[in-house]
Amino acid sequence: MHYAVQAAIAGFPDRGHAIEELARTDEGFQSLYEDFAAAQAALVHWERSSSSVREARCAEYRELVRDLAVEIEAELDRNK
């Protein structure tokens, strides 16, 4: 299973089957969960950083992860 699919399922464990199905059939959804996984990875990176911009970047990526999670949930709801 692609790491980005796993990241989406980890964020929505009760909707794993629906995520797997959309991942196979919907290119737009594929892009969305890949962006979600990338944003989560970037957040982890910045959380571990000692850079002077660490806090600002963490805040930006937390917001992006939240926004993408909302989009994923909306897409899952549309495809029930």
Side-chain angles (χ1 to χ4, degrees):
M1 183 181 305
H2 192 273
Y3 79 94
V5 174
Q6 292 173 337
I9 292 172
F12 301 91
D14 59 324
R15 301 188 81 177
H17 180 71
I19 290 169
E20 289 175 352
E21 180 64 28
L22 277 176
R24 284 192 297 272
T25 61
D26 186 321
E27 288 182 25
F29 186 71
Q30 291 169 3
S31 177
L32 184 58
Y33 70 72
E34 287 172 354
D35 290 347
F36 180 73
Q40 285 182 319
L43 176 57
V44 168
H45 165 80
W46 283 107
E47 287 175 338
R48 295 177 179 164
S49 174
S50 60
S51 171
S52 62
V53 296
R54 175 185 179 270
E55 290 303 317
R57 296 297 174 264
C58 284
E60 290 170 7
Y61 280 103
R62 279 187 196 102
E63 183 176 353
L64 180 57
V65 167
R66 275 191 303 270
D67 290 348
L68 290 167
V70 167
E71 287 185 50
I72 288 171
E73 191 163 31
E75 191 65 28
L76 290 169
D77 288 346
R78 272 192 294 276
N79 288 282
K80 281 186 177 180

